[in-house]
Amino acid sequence: MTSYFIAGASPLGGEPMNIVLTDGLIAGIGDDLAVPGGAAVVDGAGLVALPGLVDLHTHLREPGREDAETVASGTRAAAAGGFTAVFAMANTSPVQDTAGVVEQVWRLGHQAGWADVFPIGAVSVGLGGEHLAELGAMADSAARVRVFSDDGKCVWDPVLMRRALEYVKAFDGVIAQHAQEPRLTDGAQMNEGVVSAEIGLAGWPAVAEEAIIARDVLLAQHVGSRLHVCHLSTAGSVDLVRWAKARGVEVTAEVTPHHLLLTDEYARGYDPVFKVNPPLRTAEDVEAVRAGLVDGTIDIVATDHAPHPREDKDCEWAAAAFGMTGLETALSVVQQTMVDTGRMSWADVARVMSAAPARIGRVSTGPRAQGRPLAAGEPANVTLVDPAARATVDPGRQQTASPNSPLRGLSLPGRVVATFLRGRPTVLDGRPRQADAQEVR
Amino acid sequence: MKHLLSTADLSRSEAVTILDTAAQMAATQERAVKKLPTLRGRTVVNLFFEDSTRTRISFETAAKRLSADVINFSAKGSSVSKGESLKDTALTLKAMGADAVIIRHQASGAPHTLAHAGWLDAPVINAGDGTHQHPTQALLDAYTMRRHLKGEVRGAADSKGVIGRDLSGLSVVLVGDVLHSRVARANVALLHTLGAQVTLVAPPTLLPVGVDVWPCAVSYDLDAVLREHQPDALMMLRVQRERMSSAGGGFFPSPLEYSRLYGLDQRRLDMLPGHAIVMHPGPMNRGLEISAQAADSPRSVIVEQVANGVAVRMAVLYLLLAGTSGTEGA
């Protein structure tokens, strides 16, 4: 395999170093390394080197909704966004609730070669919330599933949730909960508050998220299991997770880029591109999730990348689908909201977008490990970002197959210049680079 | 003013202009020949995704009195139930050369989307969208209040002596299902713009979270409000019967309890000052939010609201299609 010599990039934003990638591994990092024979040189001047990003929450839509996204287009978007691994949510059609379907998604990801695809298994059969899916079979499959979620739907039945939390302990799994009390959110369209009252859209109250999180952290403590809270969106949720962690509950939490940036004020124009579940919240909630990410209450940023075809957003608000794309803008949003504001370092970004999500998903060990440090001997998963670049978001120029970016027209900092997956560039000079057949290992 | 989507978009002068124009339109309706040639050759589409015979007929009458051609396009249940999309309906209307589109839709914001998505160039008039807005209803309510309460003699009808006036100094009380009411939202915004003091009265379950920042007072106690405010106008909102059987067992325990606490009966009617008027946007649930005595009392202007609706809608069609209001708004 070709070697790459990254000249003068700044690992985690520190002093510029040369980074040598050989045979899928980081061969060395230092300021005195020579260019190995035959190595391709990548100019790293001004670039920050991060470990390849890991997204714990991606909707790749395949099988079933290939009109919105495929594993190939979604993982190409991931690579363009600096990701070397994505966890594919289970709400496909058929649902990822058997070993067969998770192995199909895993294989599609392997064949596409843009990023490692780790399928998430459904908690309940068909996301129906009634019977446990065959969690053990999915864990034992080639896809080696460790994260289970009915995302899109809440595991609202407390008994089913308890059983799921207990059952996955056998193989060190985690239940990733979409916290939404269904009865409190029947027909809900947006955050319940001042804006919903005025514009007449049915409200999705913060308490519907917080009540489930409160219940689940207590359950997790009671049965001694791992709980992961998906797309935490309210100030009250941050308080609850902070409280649970202080009590020693094994809970982790994620926030999406859009909940770090946008508020429910964007609903005022009834543009369904801002319709998402959980909904955009208030400015106070945005500040709370930022603070929670800084103090470690919130462990990771995950995109909840949710592509939808044009017609599902080109309609009145109530008829539109919930969800936003996010893979290609996540790092820029984190830079703008957390790094450029001085609240987080690039090392913190590497923690919340690479190391921690890989650890939660139990993919941070072994020869194909993700979320590893930038160090000699580690897998050569490296993302190079130009923090000084600035670009206007144009969904038409993105790699994802769907146009529903809420950030269209917005100028954001940071540009992914290169993404290396085990030493092979999936993105180079800012452009996706299709793998040669023999390059895919 | 390019569209009429929400009363919150109207300035005081725009609102007064609509009311003044409505008064002129009403005057023409006292003649033997009611039809005006103003919009001859123009096509107005009534696009109704939700049944509302009353509102549709009112708009249809208004358009026809101005000599416009009227097309009734009933698309009930259409887009949410995966029939033709709102977009394709809009493109169809555009191809047919609609000069104005009056839309009633069960989804809040659908008129806004129709006006701003780039599918259509014609003016859009919101004839009621979900639980958001119903601007012509609020305008006809304001027109009715002004006519009865701002003329020479309070409580007596006067269409000419009120030209140019707003509703400043009036106390208006709205009672009922504010949570689901587009009439309430439209009225709160417009009445505030026109200078009236508004008080909403409802059980707490029928008030939206976030109502505290609205430009009005809120109370749970109708008797106290009637006693202390002595309102000039009392508007009873329709309470839909399905509100008693929804999630959580309903928004209030029983129709009888609702009537006892929030219904307008003879006793409460007698608490009103002599000049006060009683209003209802219709259709009424007699015996629930309003008793027959109250609905049929001399204070009731409920039937007149319907007549004023035609004049107000004529005014809106005229200003959007033929006249100029002087400002680009909405």
Side-chain angles (χ1 to χ4, degrees):
Chain A
M1 187 183 258
T2 323
S3 291
Y4 285 88
F5 183 88
I6 302 166
S10 303
L12 309 183
E15 289 301 308
M17 300 275 177
N18 301 324
I19 307 171
V20 179
L21 314 180
T22 303
D23 291 336
L25 298 176
I26 298 174
I29 299 184
D31 51 10
D32 54 352
L33 298 176
V35 183
V41 176
V42 176
D43 181 10
L47 306 184
V48 172
L50 298 172
L53 306 183
V54 177
D55 188 17
L56 197 64
H57 193 149
T58 307
H59 295 274
L60 293 177
R61 300 292 188 224
E62 187 179 6
R65 287 304 302 267
E66 292 82 357
D67 58 330
E69 193 86 280
T70 61
V71 171
S73 67
T75 51
R76 192 179 59 214
F83 292 89
T84 51
V86 297
F87 284 75
M89 267 300 170
N91 62 339
T92 49
S93 179
V95 171
Q96 289 165 212
D97 60 357
T98 61
V101 181
V102 293
E103 286 192 352
Q104 178 192 359
V105 172
W106 175 78
R107 194 175 57 249
L108 287 167
H110 188 71
Q111 286 165 355
W114 292 106
D116 287 346
V117 173
F118 301 112
I120 292 173
V123 172
S124 65
V125 174
L127 309 178
E130 291 187 355
H131 305 286
L132 284 182
E134 290 192 348
L135 310 182
M138 291 188 273
D140 288 343
S141 74
R144 258 196 88 258
V145 177
R146 289 295 178 273
V147 182
F148 298 88
S149 180
D150 276 358
D151 180 62
K153 292 183 178 176
C154 181
V155 182
W156 65 270
D157 181 337
V159 179
L160 183 71
M161 187 62 183
R162 174 197 171 143
R163 300 276 182 257
L165 285 167
E166 288 177 308
Y167 197 78
V168 299
K169 283 199 287 186
F171 35 85
D172 196 21
V174 63
I175 304 297
Q177 175 71 294
H178 171 118
Q180 176 180 7
E181 211 294 316
R183 296 269 288 164
L184 284 171
T185 51
D186 186 31
Q189 297 292 322
M190 67 171 293
N191 180 50
E192 181 167 277
V194 167
V195 180
S196 68
E198 188 180 328
I199 73 173
L201 289 174
W204 196 133
V207 62
E209 175 173 307
E210 294 155 6
I212 293 293
I213 294 174
R215 180 199 77 178
D216 286 353
V217 294
L218 294 173
L219 278 175
Q221 180 175 44
H222 180 61
V223 298
S225 297
R226 280 206 297 146
L227 169 72
H228 178 70
V229 180
C230 295
H231 44 49
L232 177 155
S233 70
T234 78
S237 298
V238 178
D239 285 342
L240 284 164
V241 172
R242 191 177 284 128
W243 174 85
K245 285 188 168 183
R247 284 169 61 113
V249 179
E250 259 197 284
V251 57
T252 53
E254 78 192 25
V255 63
T256 69
H258 46 273
H259 288 111
L260 284 172
L261 182 66
L262 305 174
T263 67
D264 62 353
E265 290 290 329
Y266 284 91
R268 286 188 185 277
Y270 295 103
D271 184 342
V273 81
F274 297 109
K275 180 174 174 177
V276 66
N277 192 16
L280 301 177
R281 304 289 186 182
T282 68
E284 291 72 37
D285 294 306
V286 168
E287 173 49 34
V289 293
R290 290 183 185 183
L293 188 61
V294 169
D295 72 19
T297 301
I298 297 173
D299 302 83
I300 67 169
V301 174
T303 67
D304 195 5
H305 176 81
H308 289 289
R310 190 173 302 276
E311 61 270 23
D312 286 354
K313 291 286 192 181
D314 204 8
C315 55
E316 63 274 26
W317 181 285
F322 288 97
M324 307 171 160
T325 61
L327 282 169
E328 289 161 85
T329 47
L331 187 57
S332 289
V333 170
V334 171
Q335 184 187 334
Q336 168 157 316
T337 57
M338 308 309 296
V339 180
D340 290 354
T341 53
R343 301 178 78 162
M344 285 175 71
S345 66
W346 285 107
D348 294 327
V349 173
R351 172 172 50 83
V352 302
M353 294 186 77
S354 180
R359 200 164 54 243
I360 293 166
R362 295 298 189 251
V363 296
S364 53
T365 56
R368 296 173 73 88
Q370 291 281 350
R372 301 295 305 170
L374 289 177
E378 296 287 355
N381 299 319
V382 181
T383 293
L384 299 178
V385 57
D386 178 1
R390 218 175 162 85
T392 300
V393 178
D394 177 1
R397 295 170 62 89
Q398 291 184 331
Q399 301 301 320
T400 171
S402 284
N404 55 307
S405 170
L407 308 176
R408 79 182 157 209
L410 209 66
S411 171
L412 289 176
R415 170 172 174 266
V416 172
V417 174
T419 307
F420 292 89
L421 174 62
R422 284 184 290 279
R424 175 174 61 78
T426 54
V427 172
L428 205 55
D429 300 324
R431 282 186 296 277
R433 185 175 168 282
Q434 187 76 56
D436 300 331
Q438 74 272 17
E439 278 186 318
V440 180
R441 300 280 160 87
Chain B
M1 196 167 72
K2 159 82 172 157
H3 307 287
L4 179 62
L5 303 174
S6 165
T7 53
D9 299 331
L10 295 172
S11 66
R12 179 191 166 281
S13 73
E14 284 173 324
V16 170
T17 298
I18 294 171
L19 300 186
D20 290 349
T21 309
Q24 293 167 19
M25 293 295 171
T28 68
Q29 298 307 296
E30 287 159 18
R31 300 177 196 155
V33 178
K34 295 184 167 62
K35 200 155 178 161
L36 305 174
T38 320
L39 297 183
R40 193 157 55 207
R42 313 294 285 279
T43 302
V44 171
V45 176
N46 266 327
L47 178 59
F48 276 54
F49 289 85
E50 194 179 65
D51 279 337
S52 175
T53 311
R54 305 161 64 94
T55 305
R56 184 178 59 74
I57 288 176
S58 181
F59 270 109
E60 186 172 353
T61 306
K64 285 183 170 168
R65 296 258 168 96
L66 292 168
S67 300
D69 295 321
V70 179
I71 297 171
N72 286 310
F73 191 133
S74 175
K76 192 185 165 202
S78 183
S79 96
V80 177
S81 63
K82 295 289 174 198
E84 185 179 54
S85 72
L86 182 62
K87 177 179 182 175
D88 288 323
T89 305
L91 296 176
T92 303
L93 299 181
K94 184 181 184 182
M96 287 175 180
D99 293 301
V101 176
I102 296 154
I103 177 175
R104 161 72 68 110
H105 202 291
Q106 62 276 11
S108 299
H112 187 280
T113 301
L114 189 67
H116 295 294
W119 305 328
L120 201 66
D121 307 320
V124 173
I125 299 170
N126 181 0
D129 63 326
T131 56
H132 176 221
Q133 274 270 335
H134 194 353
T136 58
Q137 177 69 44
L139 285 161
L140 77 88
D141 291 337
Y143 178 86
T144 306
M145 289 177 211
R146 190 175 77 156
R147 191 167 128 82
H148 282 271
L149 302 170
K150 296 298 272 186
E152 291 299 312
V153 183
R154 278 189 140 195
D158 177 355
S159 285
K160 297 196 179 70
V162 298
I163 296 297
R165 305 190 69 173
D166 60 15
L167 301 178
S168 51
L170 295 185
S171 169
V172 181
V173 172
L174 277 69
V175 186
D177 183 0
V178 175
L179 178 64
H180 300 97
S181 178
R182 51 196 171 210
V183 175
R185 284 174 180 77
N187 263 296
V188 168
L190 182 64
L191 293 172
H192 173 72
T193 299
L194 289 171
Q197 304 295 316
V198 182
T199 304
L200 300 175
V201 181
T205 48
L206 289 175
L207 288 165
V209 168
V211 73
D212 43 308
V213 302
W214 290 11
C216 60
V218 175
S219 171
Y220 310 137
D221 187 340
L222 179 55
D223 286 330
V225 166
L226 295 182
R227 208 165 40 237
E228 289 155 23
H229 288 253
Q230 289 288 293
D232 301 294
L234 176 62
M235 188 186 303
M236 308 308 293
L237 299 170
R238 176 176 168 79
V239 175
Q240 293 187 329
R241 290 194 181 268
E242 69 253 30
R243 305 291 177 224
M244 285 170 283
S245 58
S246 49
F251 289 87
F252 48 89
S254 73
L256 282 175
E257 175 151 322
Y258 184 87
S259 289
R260 267 198 305 275
L261 292 173
Y262 298 101
L264 182 59
D265 55 11
Q266 187 65 47
R267 181 180 65 81
R268 291 192 173 116
L269 200 59
D270 292 338
M271 293 169 74
L272 294 171
H275 66 271
I277 58 173
V278 169
M279 309 176 74
H280 192 295
M284 288 182 280
N285 290 305
R286 287 180 184 243
L288 182 52
E289 73 266 9
I290 191 166
S291 69
Q293 295 100 305
D296 299 332
S297 79
R299 295 169 177 286
S300 165
V301 296
I302 295 168
V303 176
E304 189 195 316
Q305 284 175 270
V306 177
N308 292 342
V310 175
V312 162
R313 288 169 179 130
M314 287 173 75
V316 168
L317 284 167
Y318 172 80
L319 290 168
L320 286 180
L321 282 172
T324 50
S325 65
T327 47
E328 272 293 310

